């Protein structure tokens, strides 16, 4: 049985304004090999064209995510403030997890967008790894994104997944 994302109640898919889910299963990679390309934000702009200006708050000098990390980045035309809400580094037999609450716009305004962007990476039998990313969104911008065809969230997150896989495979080829 495959694992699933842990959702805060108010972000349960189906009860929010927009939801997207992307997943890849790849042979020849492990959770440990994939993890660094998600966990370390310095890699993001190298393989994902829709992210820029990643920076951390609270005097943190590093580039790796951690439990309760407060950070900023730009994506999908939004300046996103974020805080890590779940952080489970790879452990034998357990899925790795990262989730963050992201927000843009003034609270209570029509421009306000609130999201939970969650990631799950797990080793599967046969030397395969599963990378799942899902995002559940609330607010008027989310309602508009839900109507867009093609869906920019699905396409953007697929690029993010494909970039992580390419980066991890390239590391193995060295």
């Amino acid at each position: 049985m495959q694992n699933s994302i842990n959702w805060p109640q108010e972000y349960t898919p189906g009860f929010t304004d927009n939801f997207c889910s992307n997943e890849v299963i790849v042979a020849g990679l492990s959770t440990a090999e994939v993890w660094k390309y998600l966990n370390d934000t310095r890699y993001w702009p190298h393989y994902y064209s829709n992210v820029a200006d990643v920076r951390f708050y609270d005097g943190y000098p590093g580039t790796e995510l951690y439990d309760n990390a407060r950070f900023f980045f730009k994506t999908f035309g939004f300046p996103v403030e974020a805080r890590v809400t779940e952080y489970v580094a790879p452990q034998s037999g357990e899925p790795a997890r990262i989730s963050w609450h992201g927000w843009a716009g003034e609270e209570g305004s029509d421009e306000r967008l609130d999201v939970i962007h969650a990631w799950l990476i797990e080793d599967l039998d046969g030397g395969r790894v599963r990378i799942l990313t899902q995002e559940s969104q609330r607010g008027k911008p989310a309602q508009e994104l839900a109507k867009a065809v093609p869906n920019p969230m699905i396409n953007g997150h697929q690029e993010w997944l494909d970039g992580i896989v390419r980066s991890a495979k390239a590391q193995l080829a060295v």
Side-chain angles (χ1 to χ4, degrees):
M1 179 153 194
Q2 294 178 341
N3 290 286
S4 61
I5 300 295
N6 298 322
W7 292 106
Q9 184 175 354
E10 65 272 21
Y11 287 92
T12 301
F15 298 108
T16 58
D17 296 313
N18 192 26
F19 172 75
C20 66
S21 180
N22 295 69
E23 175 181 44
V24 295
I25 296 176
V26 181
L29 288 175
S30 70
T31 297
E33 292 160 342
V34 167
W35 175 257
K36 83 175 193 177
Y37 295 101
L38 174 60
N39 185 57
D40 194 335
T41 63
R42 73 180 155 146
Y43 294 114
W44 294 3
H46 298 286
Y47 65 76
Y48 181 42
S49 66
N50 197 23
V51 69
D53 300 330
V54 181
R55 63 181 180 268
F56 286 80
Y57 293 105
D58 303 326
Y60 179 63
T63 57
E64 293 184 0
L65 297 171
Y66 59 93
D67 191 33
N68 211 34
R70 179 84 164 75
F71 65 106
F72 169 90
F73 65 105
K74 293 179 184 171
T75 189
F76 290 102
F78 294 101
V80 177
E81 299 289 339
R83 181 174 302 279
V84 172
T85 57
E86 183 178 30
Y87 186 88
V88 179
Q91 304 169 48
S92 180
E94 295 294 324
R97 299 172 180 274
I98 296 177
S99 297
W100 57 77
H101 171 223
W103 63 92
E106 293 296 319
E107 204 163 354
S109 74
D110 282 349
E111 292 80 35
R112 178 68 173 204
L113 174 67
D114 279 281
V115 310
I116 294 290
H117 191 165
W119 297 80
L120 183 144
I121 307 169
E122 66 181 330
D123 291 322
L124 302 176
D125 63 348
R128 301 172 302 146
V129 69
R130 173 181 179 232
I131 311 167
L132 172 66
T133 186
Q134 297 181 329
E135 185 165 311
S136 195
Q137 306 174 334
R138 297 171 26 189
K140 270 210 186 243
Q143 293 168 7
E144 294 305 313
L145 284 167
K147 297 176 195 172
V149 176
N151 187 310
M153 300 303 299
I154 295 289
N155 292 339
H157 288 168
Q158 191 63 46
E159 179 189 344
W160 203 334
L161 284 171
D162 294 344
I164 289 171
V165 169
R166 262 192 325 277
S167 298
K169 283 185 172 184
Q171 172 191 347
L172 292 178
V174 175

